[in-house]
Amino acid sequence: MPAECWLCLSPILVALIAWSVRISAHRSASWPTVEGVVTGARIVRQGEGTASWWPKVRYTYQVDGTDFEADRIAMDGFLMSARNAEAVVSRYPVGAVVRVYHHPKKISFSVLEPGARGGTLFVIVIAGVLEVLTLLLCFESMG
């Protein structure tokens, strides 16, 4: 089997990871909720000279008398334009009271926006396209 054929496994692995994240994101909508407080909100540029930004929102919350601090907005977040990142951050002003969805068993794992969004679905579709291309490359090198 040509070495190129081993490349076929990479898109499958990426798609499986994205699918797992998507399932977890979907489940997060039914997690227990508590009130939290936003302690910081800003956007961060992802790498020098790029147009990709990441919204960062820090918040605290308490479950059964234990304090937690987190910064996960959603399960399937992805890089975005500065305008979109600003729009996300603007929903979470410092001092705002927010609803925090926390994992029922791993209480320190939480999100502000539960459910699955488009990010993981996009990754799954791209992985499918890459899988087809790598299979074509593999078959071409064999024949």
Side-chain angles (χ1 to χ4, degrees):
M1 178 185 309
E4 296 87 8
C5 292
W6 290 107
L7 291 174
C8 296
L9 297 177
S10 297
I12 292 172
L13 181 60
V14 168
L16 288 173
I17 292 169
W19 186 255
S20 173
V21 170
R22 187 162 181 81
I23 289 170
S24 295
H26 180 71
R27 289 181 180 157
S28 68
S30 63
W31 287 355
T33 62
V34 295
E35 283 189 351
V37 177
V38 174
T39 60
R42 62 190 175 100
I43 65 170
V44 178
R45 177 174 255 160
Q46 192 68 26
E48 290 292 321
T50 68
S52 297
W53 296 81
W54 191 261
K56 297 294 276 183
V57 176
R58 293 206 62 75
Y59 53 94
T60 58
Y61 60 101
Q62 189 178 76
V63 177
D64 295 331
T66 302
D67 294 325
F68 296 93
E69 184 174 21
D71 63 1
R72 180 173 283 106
I73 298 170
M75 291 286 289
D76 59 348
F78 52 96
L79 295 173
M80 54 188 68
S81 69
R83 173 190 260 171
N84 290 343
E86 282 288 352
V88 170
V89 167
S90 71
R91 295 195 300 259
Y92 301 104
V94 173
V97 175
V98 292
R99 180 176 303 276
V100 178
Y101 295 76
H102 66 82
H103 191 283
K105 293 181 181 169
K106 301 174 198 160
I107 297 171
S108 63
F109 192 85
S110 62
V111 295
L112 296 177
E113 299 178 7
R117 301 185 305 182
T120 52
L121 188 57
F122 176 75
V123 171
I124 292 166
V125 169
I126 294 299
V129 170
L130 290 174
E131 181 62 25
V132 169
L133 292 174
T134 55
L135 284 172
L136 289 173
L137 177 66
C138 180
F139 290 134
E140 185 177 299
S141 67
M142 290 174 65

